[in-house]
Amino acid sequence: GKPGDPLPIVLIHGTGASLHTWEPMVAALKNDYRVITLDIPAFGLTGPNPKRDYSSEFYTSFIQDFLKALGVDSCIIGGNSLGGSIAWNYALSYPESVKKLILIDAAGYPTEAKSMPIAFKIAKMPVLKHLLKYLGARSLAAKSVENVYADPSKVRPEVVDRYYNLYLREGNRQALLDRMANTFSPDTYLRINTLQMPTLILWGDEDKLIPVENAYRFQKDLPNDTLVILKNLGHVPMEEDPKTTTDVVRSFLQKR
């Protein structure tokens, strides 16, 4: 996008996804902003962390090194699901670098999913989880993606192909197991209320993986927030309805 933008937007995807999840939003924003997306370690074409460390500390350090390498000193940072958790953890560690924060169905609080993608379920089962290293069924990918949409009929075949093909990248299946085994620091969420930067909390009201109740927890804790609940959308609203999601994000970006 806009090469001279002094305050780029950094967007971080969730577990099992890749930078492709942001492509419609990037296309809509790139004429007005510089937008930076990436495949975080364990996923996409970046693949595994050789040390098999997927803690919040690792991801925070990784994002800082990544932005330093790009010469980015300050930014607007956001993420979906795991990416949202990485974004707010980064903001806790580098508050002077984060001018605004965007949390889209973000992880963070202890919670119970109402429904979970089948690949995630298997990854959490001690007896079955190692089967993921050998399972390559496209139907597994399809069911997992359909689970995070409110309307499974919106899941296009090419979206399933993308998730499926990246899941098959060498090392990614083991990396998913390692990622699911790495739990973030259990008490870090208690510091969310110290974040002072303007924050957009954006949530699909049909999210079964991280239910909408969590949006209100973020709203309660964040002193400078804008909360938007999207009707009839699930866990990945930027994929399921990119126009509505992007319109909300654009409105937040334009706020002074």
Side-chain angles (χ1 to χ4, degrees):
K2 193 174 177 181
D5 188 349
L7 194 64
I9 304 164
V10 180
L11 297 173
I12 307 170
H13 66 79
T15 297
S18 67
L19 61 82
H20 295 91
T21 198
W22 303 111
E23 284 192 340
M25 186 177 292
V26 172
L29 295 176
K30 67 181 182 180
N31 289 334
D32 301 306
Y33 302 94
R34 180 186 179 194
V35 188
I36 299 169
T37 60
L38 70 153
D39 292 348
I40 60 173
F43 308 108
L45 296 179
T46 295
N49 173 9
K51 295 182 178 180
R52 300 174 70 175
D53 178 8
Y54 302 107
S55 62
S56 59
E57 293 80 10
F58 163 72
Y59 278 123
T60 295
S61 176
F62 177 86
I63 294 298
Q64 175 66 354
D65 290 344
F66 172 76
L67 293 178
K68 282 178 64 178
L70 293 179
V72 174
D73 296 320
S74 61
C75 64
I76 298 165
I77 194 166
N80 168 244
S81 195
L82 166 65
S85 178
I86 294 170
W88 67 254
N89 272 278
Y90 180 81
L92 283 174
S93 294
Y94 300 98
E96 71 287 349
S97 298
V98 177
K99 303 309 176 187
K100 287 188 175 184
L101 182 61
I102 300 170
L103 303 177
I104 303 177
D105 296 74
Y109 296 98
T111 188
E112 285 292 330
K114 295 177 180 177
S115 181
M116 186 180 294
I118 187 170
F120 291 12
K121 290 180 181 177
I122 294 173
K124 288 178 173 290
M125 296 178 182
V127 177
L128 297 178
K129 66 180 183 179
H130 295 293
L131 286 175
L132 277 182
K133 290 189 287 185
Y134 310 105
L135 289 174
R138 185 181 180 279
S139 59
L140 181 69
K143 290 293 185 185
S144 295
V145 178
E146 288 170 3
N147 185 265
V148 295
Y149 278 54
D151 181 357
S153 69
K154 291 183 180 179
V155 179
R156 294 172 286 115
E158 58 267 30
V159 172
V160 175
D161 288 341
R162 184 191 76 218
Y163 275 91
Y164 174 60
N165 290 330
L166 291 174
Y167 170 68
L168 293 182
R169 182 219 184 272
E170 183 178 357
N172 276 7
R173 281 174 279 185
Q174 180 62 55
L176 175 60
L177 292 175
D178 293 339
R179 162 67 200 107
M180 298 300 280
N182 272 234
T183 56
F184 279 13
S185 301
D187 297 328
T188 311
Y189 75 92
L190 297 173
R191 296 170 53 210
I192 289 174
N193 61 8
T194 67
L195 294 171
Q196 298 296 318
M197 67 284 296
T199 302
L200 172 63
I201 306 161
L202 182 57
W203 226 272
D205 71 338
E206 296 292 328
D207 189 342
K208 298 181 183 68
L209 183 59
I210 306 180
V212 70
E213 291 81 7
N214 290 270
Y216 297 106
R217 295 182 73 176
F218 277 111
Q219 182 189 34
K220 180 181 177 182
D221 279 347
L222 290 166
N224 195 10
D225 71 273
T226 299
L227 173 65
V228 179
I229 305 297
L230 300 176
K231 295 294 183 183
N232 303 315
L233 292 177
H235 185 62
V236 286
M238 66 286 178
E239 286 191 26
E240 193 170 2
D241 187 347
K243 183 182 185 306
T244 298
T245 306
T246 302
D247 286 348
V248 174
V249 169
R250 183 185 293 278
S251 176
F252 173 72
L253 293 173
Q254 291 172 343
K255 279 187 177 180
R256 296 298 178 188

